């Protein structure tokens, strides 16, 4: 098992090494580390958790040219190549299909503990200091303005609407990041999320002070 995990790690590392959208190898590595931490506190199958964390952003719509829901299938092919059991393949690819945020008014579908753990780990990396940095690098990589005060956030009701939106990065806080704290599943992640949420609130307060040139 360890050999297969290492081989998959190498493949993923190669694919994500050059990313400049906030989805680089270090994001994957942090999500794996956090997911295994959550698993150590909450339980669940560590093999499913680790594989799904490693593969969770494979063929994500934000990096594959906009194709929605492709990741599960791509992960399935990769795991087949390494002769994983059908049950493992099915559980991991199901996590990958469900893990992404799909819009403010689109409910999450995570049902098993492993699904919840991987989504929590991915979401914790989207908030706090690193979350702020990732949001602005993603925005920059997609040529999005940092902030346009006259363009208000939207409440997206479908994955298509959310994925096709092209608003400025400050709106992304109101359309997703500030809501993640309340959409975490496990108690361990909720505790970590609270502190990271406060970092974003403080950051935004300061952002508007400086935007208005208040002294
Ligand atoms: P998810 O699968 O839930 O989208 P990811 O690991 O793929 O999670 O990463 C999502 C990150 O991508 C966000 O936390 C944010 O940093 C960035 N991102 C996605 N959409 C936007 C956007 N419209 N503006 C700024 N950042 C974005
Ligand atoms: Ni991710």
């Amino acid at each position: 098992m360890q050999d297969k995990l290492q081989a998959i790690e190498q493949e993923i590392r190669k694919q994500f090494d050059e990313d400049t959208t906030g989805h680089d190898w270090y994001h994957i590595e942090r999500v794996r580390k956090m997911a295994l931490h959550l698993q150590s506190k909450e339980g669940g199958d560590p093999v499913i958790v680790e594989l799904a964390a490693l593969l969770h952003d494979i063929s994500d719509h934000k990096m594959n040219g906009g194709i929605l829901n492709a990741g599960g299938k791509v992960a399935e092919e990769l795991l087949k190549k390494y002769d994983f059991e059908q049950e493992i393949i099915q559980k991991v690819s199901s996590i990958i299909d469900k893990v992404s945020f799909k819009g403010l008014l689109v409910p999450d579908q995570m049902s098993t503990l492993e699904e919840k753990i991987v989504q929590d780990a991915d979401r914790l990396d989207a908030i706090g200091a690193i979350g702020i940095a990732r949001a602005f690098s993603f925005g920059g990589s997609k040529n999005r303005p940092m902030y346009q005060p006259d363009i208000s956030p939207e409440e997206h009701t479908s994955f298509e609407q959310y994925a096709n939106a092209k608003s400025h990065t400050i709106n992304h806080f109101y359309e997703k990041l500030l809501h993640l704290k309340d959409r975490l599943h496990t108690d361990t992640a909720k505790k970590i999320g609270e502190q990271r949420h406060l970092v974003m609130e403080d950051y935004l307060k300061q952002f508007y002070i400086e935007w208005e040139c208040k002294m």
Side-chain angles (χ1 to χ4, degrees):
M1 182 59 71
Q2 226 37 46
D3 286 358
K4 287 191 201 181
L5 271 167
Q6 262 174 19
I8 289 177
E9 176 182 325
Q10 287 313 316
E11 274 201 43
I12 296 293
R13 190 189 276 260
K14 242 190 263 153
Q15 270 188 41
F16 287 84
D17 238 0
E18 311 263 288
D19 178 277
T20 51
T21 72
H23 296 82
D24 52 24
W25 164 250
Y26 295 107
H27 163 64
I28 310 287
E29 208 170 31
R30 286 191 303 272
V31 172
R32 169 166 68 169
K33 197 171 172 186
M34 180 61 82
L36 286 172
H37 170 71
L38 299 179
Q39 185 278 329
S40 75
K41 302 281 179 198
E42 303 276 341
D45 181 337
V47 171
I48 302 290
V49 166
E50 184 163 10
L51 278 172
L54 272 174
L55 299 178
H56 83 274
D57 269 337
I58 205 167
S59 202
D60 186 277
H61 70 101
K62 296 187 284 317
M63 290 89 75
N64 72 7
I67 310 161
L68 305 183
N69 305 315
K73 194 84 204 121
V74 177
E76 201 179 313
E77 296 305 322
L78 189 103
L79 293 171
K80 270 193 197 146
K81 200 172 80 181
Y82 287 97
D83 282 331
F84 278 97
E85 293 163 32
Q86 194 49 40
E87 196 190 335
I88 295 185
I89 297 179
Q90 186 271 323
K91 284 184 177 164
V92 172
S93 67
S94 154
I95 296 180
I96 293 159
D97 279 335
K98 294 179 187 174
V99 70
S100 268
F101 185 83
K102 295 183 168 64
L104 186 58
L105 301 180
V106 183
D108 296 316
Q109 300 172 336
M110 307 322 254
S111 48
T112 68
L113 181 55
E114 290 82 4
E115 291 175 351
K116 291 174 181 169
I117 284 176
V118 176
Q119 189 170 65
D120 279 359
D122 193 28
R123 290 183 166 180
L124 287 174
D125 207 55
I127 61 179
I130 287 195
I132 295 168
R134 291 183 66 220
F136 286 103
S137 21
F138 182 90
S141 76
K142 303 281 177 195
N143 298 320
R144 308 251 173 102
M146 179 169 83
Y147 182 40
Q148 291 169 309
D150 45 341
I151 299 182
S152 306
E154 287 178 38
E155 295 189 334
H156 301 117
T157 55
S158 73
F159 191 15
E160 285 74 16
Q161 200 188 21
Y162 170 72
N164 291 322
K166 297 199 167 33
S167 195
H168 58 84
T169 299
I170 288 292
N171 268 355
H172 190 61
F173 286 82
Y174 300 93
E175 292 171 348
K176 172 182 177 188
L177 305 182
L178 291 169
H179 301 276
L180 291 183
K181 167 178 81 74
D182 296 326
R183 289 173 73 154
L184 294 168
H185 309 279
T186 64
D187 287 343
T188 312
K190 283 178 191 168
K191 271 197 212 113
I192 302 169
E194 262 169 44
Q195 190 262 338
R196 293 189 185 191
H197 182 84
L198 292 178
V199 171
M200 290 193 295
E201 285 190 332
D202 284 348
Y203 174 80
L204 287 169
K205 264 187 226 147
Q206 182 66 19
F207 186 95
Y208 298 124
I209 289 173
E210 294 179 19
W211 190 270
E212 303 289 343
C213 295
K214 286 188 189 146
M215 302 302 145

